[in-house]
Amino acid sequence: MSAQKQLLIIDDDPDFVDGIKAILVKANYKVDVAYNPKDGWAALENKNYDLLLLDVMMGRGAEGIMVARKLGKDAKLRNLPVLIITSIREQMAFLFPGEAVHPHFVTVDELVEKPVEPKLLLDKIATLIKTAEAKTGQVADAKKR
Amino acid sequence: MEHAKILIIDDEEVVLDSCKLVLEPAGFKITTASNGTAGLALVPELDPDLIFVDLKMPGISGFDVLEHLHATDPNRVAIVITGYATVSSAVEAMKKGAYDFLPKPFTPDELRLIARRGLERHRLRQEAIALRREKEMLRENFAAIVSHELKSPLSALQQNLFGLTAELEDRMSDEQKARMQRMKGRLDDLLKLIHTWLRVFSVDVNKIKEQFQPVAVGQVIARAIENVLPHATRKNIEIASDVREPLPAVMGDAVSLAEVLGNILGNAVKYSHPQTKVQLTAAADRGAVVIAVSDNGIGIAKEDLPRVFGDFYRGRAGAAMDSGCGMGLAISRRIVEAHDGTISVESEAGKGSKFTIHLPANT
């Protein structure tokens, strides 16, 4: 693997974060943590990350979704791969009646359910980062031509 | 029933007056109207508990009043007063939503009796509505509470076990690793149980209809058997499968149908004696696919049979001998019904059970 990848976790449950961070650090990722969407957004603006792990249910409701929507509208951050980590199963009626929770919020995202098995977690992260890199690589190539 | 509000709509002043005279001393609050239009105009503001309406009036008829009442609030209790007490007009009034009818002339006792009956009906309807609303609230809130308040701490726990396992991998003894594994297993069972509850209480099974596709039943059966096989092998139970291909395809959701068959087969294995046989047959029959699963197990007591497809039912022996939450058959029934199918059971205590599923073929 090339340089150490830099990940950001935005999740308001410190215990869950500890559990997930341990797996990522063990797998040689550098990990930053924000415990609310506001700090998370500040971190995203100040530093370049290779991937964001985003919780859905934070604060008064589905604030994680707001972060994802904001990302989608941001010219620079829209291509940041996002792994959405949620405790709600797909079509939980009370959240978005009649809507699936995961109709791809940003260009590059994936969804896993809490708790997430280490192997699944690491596989998804590796794939997302690889796909994103291939994409930006293509863009760079196109620009060179 | 005291202070109950009664609205009386009749064009004959003498009827209005005599009703008032009889009912007011009984503690009821009486409002009167001399024609249908005036009566209907009073309804929204007054919100009466019971309405008497004359069938034959100048202007709009009693039938029109009934129709209008029923259209705006089908739960309103209305009783028709009719001078020509023929069966046909009474029947027609009932069809239009009247609860009862009072033939003219009537005695004070008859009026009081029928008013009390009407008000009792009103009370029961209101209670039913309140209960239904409460059940709905419970269902919705249960989803929110369970998913966040129960699942979150368990998820955090499980995630930390995953994390610790990774961190301590090379420092734990085999015995410690096995204990870690068992903890994860127990937590996993708990999380699965919560998922099952959530499915029953908050997920609208009918939603699966949106993704229906032609399903090959034979494959679903094979998958379900595969899932149950480890349990069967442990008890030395043979699952004999007789699938009479070609079976017609069924419009449905393969995963949900496999869940149903898994539940039924799982129960058959669970309630069978060791070294016995569970028999599955599947065949086409008059535009349907019929799947039957029978066992020679402990069976179901006669008095329990009507409850087996209800929530939280567990076989008596099942409660003592095995884990389970008593939701399998309730979920199965909901899934089968979402497929426009039926599920039924025949059983005799001590002899065994036979579950039969009918699924309409995709035509």
Side-chain angles (χ1 to χ4, degrees), chain A residues 15 19 26 87 92 113 116, chain B residues 151 159-160 162 166-167 195 202:
Chain A
D15 290 330
K26 172 90 183 168
S87 57
M92 208 70 255
E113 203 182 329
V116 46
Chain B
K151 266 194 78 180
Q159 203 64 57
N160 275 284
F162 287 151
E167 285 172 309
H195 285 167
S202 61

Side-chain angles (χ1 to χ4, degrees), chain B residues 319-334:
Chain B
M321 73 191 214
D322 215 331
S323 65
C325 60
M327 283 299 185
L329 287 178
I331 297 170
S332 299
R333 191 199 63 199
R334 273 171 235 203

